[in-house]
Amino acid sequence: MIFLGKTVSGGVALGRIEIYRKNDADVIRAQVDDTEAEIARFEQAKEDAKREIAKIYEKALAEMGEAGAAIFEVHQMLLDDLNFVDAVTELIEKEKVSAEYAVRATCDHFSTMFEAMDNEYMQARAADVRDIGSQVIAKLRETVQEGGKTATAAERNVREPVILVADELAPSELARFDRSRILALVTRCGSVNSHTAILARTMKLPALTGVEFGGETDERMRLDESREPDGQIRTQNPARLDGTPELDKVEEFDGHIAIVDGSAGLFLVDPDEATLEKYRAKQKEETQRERFLSELRDKETVTRDGRRIRLCANIGAVDDADAALRDGVDGIGLFRTEFLYLGADDFPGEEEQFEAYRAVVEKMDGRKVIIRTLDIGADKRADYFHLPGEANPALGYRGIRVCLDRTDIFKTQLRAILRAAYYGNVDIMYPMIISVDEVRRAKQIVEEAKAELDTQEIPYGKVEQGIMIETPAAVWLSKELAGEVDFFSIGTNDLTQYMLAADRQDPRLDAFYDPRHPAVLGAVRTVVENAHKSGIWAGICGELAADTSLTEEFLRMGVDELSVAPAHILAVRAAVQACTL
Ligand code: PEP
Ligand code: MG
């Protein structure tokens, strides 16, 4: 039996299924007399949960670094959120219900509110709220169990490594598992942008989400037709489990053998011997490939016939630079600075930004760091910006448009970048450009920032300035734009959505959102040609740069730099080394 899912993380896993059930599914509306004692129980459980989360934070920090651990800081904050605490307390007081019920009902209320928001990031936060609710309930239950601790399902000792199958799994639940005890993760609910998904990728777990264990929907049928990974595995109709699409329907598979093919988005239950054999071979190939790739860490990114290409990393946080350095990159081709803004409650100041940029620049020790100015808007929003609600956010007020309006915010960032440039090799890059005028205005503000720093006698470094080519207008104007800047970096993620009129956030448009579309590849070619005619370089920093089936084509087009997520560096280096131009 084969089920389809959305890829969270690639890789192949073979093993037994372990169905994971939340421990608080059976919370009932119990009545209490002593509401004060109940509120005290809640307060105690909340503090215990916070202490436990602090421990999980430390574990995640040690095993996965800051990026993997950050969510547990958020969980601690959520537990102290007054809206949450007040709502639980009020429910206990007014309705004389048990703390367990009050917590569950409050979390359900908040998570439903998040789910209804028109923003994928906020929707994904619904899972975090449910997660902290479960943890407080687990603590409350400990207080009524004689002798203390009840093992929650997540802490249960899984004896052999298993494929974990869950309705939904919270980051804290996943983080509690010992990585060596999980082979893969399969969930019915959850977004590929959720923190659980990020953790799964950080843990390098093959993982799928959106797997419908129950009834078939029209949409899945459509997906079925459009997805045929290698022509060898045909997806069957998962409606064999007719009825409600709930996890209960796969309970009967608890302990059964299964395969997770993360990249192809397949979950194969009770596979036959031939399929098992095929996947064992695939797994072996993967292991060999990883071993082979790790040997390329110190090697040059050069083709068979001696052309050297710059291979850089895309990073979104200071610590990401470590993984990039480990695999021997030439520099940072795209430093997405949004993280400084999205993780904050207010505009990050110049000093804070300067410290973050300088940290990366110093880590990179003379290698080039391209810092992209703030690309806020569309799906990346922060409350304190008070961005307008928009019918079409992707076609809206974002990136350079915001910065050229809010020059105070823009100049603060530019000053921080210029100051960081004093400590190494920095370039500035502007996102979402559609006109020559925008570039000139941005450069003018850089000049103003330099003049201010001069007056204040604050040291800063030399920078080159480039733009992202990620709109059809920028492609069309690439000849003119090339006369204004030092480099182009092609953002195929947005370029694809704007050229093909297909929202990159909408999973229903997956079949239309095709970065390999001839229009996109044609645009890349044109942009590189126009860059070279003006004597500037052009690279690709969109996800397409990591598509190794196109590496040779890109090199033939004359692409000067490929910038990819740290996880893809070695695979791209291997692809370059296999090219003869
Ligand atoms: C792109 O659009 O290709 C890009 C690299 O930028 P982002 O994905 O951050 O929009
Ligand atoms: Mg972009």
Side-chain angles (χ1 to χ4, degrees):
M1 182 163 307
I2 304 177
F3 300 98
L4 289 174
K6 283 190 248 170
T7 300
V8 168
S9 174
V12 167
L14 277 76
R16 284 188 194 284
I17 293 175
E18 164 96 14
I19 306 283
Y20 173 72
R21 282 205 161 278
K22 298 214 179 283
N23 64 320
D24 57 346
D26 56 341
V27 170
I28 54 162
R29 190 185 171 95
Q31 294 292 308
V32 295
D33 295 325
D34 187 351
T35 52
E36 254 176 52
E38 207 58 16
I39 290 169
R41 272 184 75 225
F42 162 64
E43 288 292 345
Q44 182 62 49
K46 180 169 76 75
E47 291 310 310
D48 290 350
K50 261 172 54 189
R51 260 194 300 279
E52 182 148 330
I53 295 171
K55 276 193 232 150
I56 300 175
Y57 171 82
E58 293 302 331
K59 178 174 181 278
L61 191 66
E63 290 174 6
M64 291 174 264
E66 254 176 51
I71 184 57
F72 302 112
E73 255 181 336
V74 176
H75 282 192
Q76 283 172 293
M77 272 154 39
L78 278 174
L79 276 174
D80 274 334
D81 186 286
L82 284 183
N83 290 326
F84 168 71
V85 176
D86 288 351
V88 173
T89 314
E90 212 177 290
L91 206 58
I92 298 173
E93 268 171 354
K94 285 201 175 134
E95 304 201 11
K96 291 183 175 290
V97 288
S98 68
E100 284 89 338
Y101 178 81
V103 169
R104 179 75 292 139
T106 304
C107 290
D108 283 352
H109 169 74
F110 282 114
S111 62
T112 310
M113 223 168 69
F114 281 133
E115 266 162 4
M117 288 183 183
D118 189 19
N119 170 322
E120 276 202 20
Y121 179 82
M122 291 314 288
Q123 286 167 359
R125 300 290 69 76
D128 293 327
V129 174
R130 282 196 294 273
D131 184 19
I132 60 157
S134 297
Q135 294 182 70
V136 177
I137 290 169
K139 291 293 162 199
L140 282 165
R141 289 185 160 183
E142 283 174 20
T143 64
V144 292
Q145 302 267 335
E146 231 180 309
K149 255 184 117 52
T150 26
T152 64
E155 292 161 334
R156 186 174 38 171
N157 187 16
V158 182
R159 271 167 288 280
E160 62 174 307
V162 292
I163 293 172
L164 207 60
V165 176
D167 209 39
E168 185 177 24
L169 201 70
S172 62
E173 289 173 304
L174 180 55
R176 275 198 200 117
F177 280 102
D178 181 347
R179 167 66 183 93
S180 65
R181 292 285 176 208
I182 317 181
L183 298 169
L185 178 64
V186 177
T187 60
R188 189 176 70 83
C189 309
S191 120
V192 290
N193 302 314
S194 72
H195 281 104
T196 305
I198 295 166
L199 278 185
R201 286 194 283 269
T202 316
M203 291 163 92
K204 288 199 172 153
L205 272 180
L208 304 175
T209 188
V211 180
E212 287 294 346
F213 301 114
E216 183 82 325
T217 66
D218 289 349
E219 192 173 323
R220 298 216 68 83
M221 289 301 288
R222 192 181 62 70
L223 208 65
D224 229 11
E225 285 156 18
S226 65
R227 178 108 62 104
E228 188 96 351
D230 55 8
Q232 296 177 44
I233 302 162
R234 296 200 62 88
T235 46
Q236 298 170 0
N237 183 353
R240 280 179 56 185
L241 296 172
D242 260 348
T244 49
E246 294 301 335
L247 190 62
D248 312 27
K249 300 294 168 191
V250 284
E251 282 252 289
E252 59 181 287
F253 297 132
D254 206 3
H256 286 222
I257 294 286
I259 296 168
V260 175
D261 185 339
S263 315
L266 298 174
F267 179 42
L268 302 93
V269 180
D270 291 335
D272 59 24
E273 196 42 48
T275 309
L276 275 171
E277 210 30 65
K278 184 181 141 197
Y279 272 98
R280 280 192 199 109
K282 200 168 170 180
Q283 222 177 10
K284 218 178 195 174
E285 268 171 34
E286 274 188 2
T287 316
Q288 278 167 351
R289 183 166 170 73
E290 261 173 38
R291 207 170 298 142
F292 163 76
L293 286 179
S294 67
E295 283 169 16
L296 298 182
R297 285 201 170 125
D298 314 316
K299 300 282 188 301
E300 294 248 21
T301 313
V302 60
T303 62
R304 277 182 202 278
D305 49 341
R307 180 170 156 213
R308 203 181 180 292
I309 175 115
R310 273 202 319 275
L311 181 56
C312 294
N314 296 345
I315 63 167
V318 176
D319 288 346
D320 296 345
D322 299 331
L325 278 172
R326 191 196 56 209
D327 288 347
V329 286
D330 295 307
I332 302 300
L334 166 63
F335 183 6
R336 290 181 167 99
T337 56
E338 291 81 67
F339 83 100
L340 277 167
Y341 296 80
L342 297 177
D345 294 328
D346 204 348
F347 295 102
E350 180 179 318
E351 281 313 305
E352 183 185 344
Q353 295 195 50
F354 165 62
E355 289 303 339
Y357 305 148
R358 187 177 73 164
V360 172
V361 169
E362 285 185 340
K363 273 180 201 247
M364 295 312 290
D365 196 17
R367 296 175 189 83
K368 185 164 59 77
V369 179
I370 300 182
I371 303 181
R372 181 175 74 181
T373 58
L374 177 63
D375 188 16
I376 198 92
D379 59 315
K380 298 178 233 167
R381 307 180 87 82
D383 287 346
Y384 56 86
F385 270 87
H386 300 296
L387 294 174
E390 294 173 301
N392 296 302
L395 298 179
Y397 192 55
R398 72 173 276 202
I400 198 73
R401 300 171 185 185
V402 179
C403 287
L404 291 177
D405 262 359
R406 305 287 305 269
T407 47
D408 50 333
I409 301 169
F410 192 36
K411 206 185 271 174
T412 302
Q413 181 172 40
L414 291 173
R415 284 174 56 107
I417 298 174
L418 287 166
R419 288 174 57 195
Y422 183 73
Y423 297 87
N425 185 356
V426 172
D427 292 354
I428 303 181
M429 177 156 74
Y430 306 110
M432 282 295 290
I433 293 292
I434 60 161
S435 71
V436 168
D437 179 56
E438 286 168 337
V439 179
R440 290 189 181 152
R441 283 161 64 203
K443 287 185 353 192
Q444 175 57 34
I445 299 170
V446 170
E447 291 312 310
E448 288 170 21
K450 283 184 188 169
E452 282 178 14
L453 292 169
D454 279 334
T455 313
Q456 295 165 325
E457 295 182 6
I458 299 174
Y460 61 89
K462 266 199 171 140
V463 290
E464 298 214 319
Q465 295 175 69
I467 55 172
M468 304 259 323
I469 301 282
E470 51 185 348
T471 64
V475 176
W476 195 253
L477 292 178
S478 50
K479 226 184 252 170
E480 289 79 356
L481 288 166
E484 299 288 329
V485 294
D486 300 307
F487 64 90
F488 286 159
S489 188
I490 306 171
T492 49
N493 308 340
D494 278 314
L495 189 57
T496 303
Q497 82 165 338
Y498 296 129
M499 289 203 78
L500 306 182
D503 186 345
R504 68 192 260 197
Q505 304 291 332
D506 187 342
R508 283 169 307 185
L509 299 180
D510 279 356
F512 296 98
Y513 182 92
D514 175 15
R516 301 162 54 103
H517 190 288
V520 179
L521 296 182
V524 172
R525 184 184 300 279
T526 301
V527 169
V528 175
E529 276 171 13
N530 285 338
H532 289 174
K533 275 183 203 153
S534 285
I536 65 168
W537 64 266
I540 306 176
C541 65
E543 297 289 303
L544 197 65
D547 184 335
T548 51
S549 68
L550 290 171
T551 306
E552 188 154 326
E553 197 172 334
F554 289 148
L555 298 193
R556 285 180 196 279
M557 286 180 191
V559 170
D560 301 289
E561 174 176 304
L562 293 171
S563 190
V564 301
H568 301 305
I569 292 162
L570 296 178
V572 174
R573 180 168 296 141
V576 170
Q577 289 180 344
C579 291
T580 311
L581 303 176

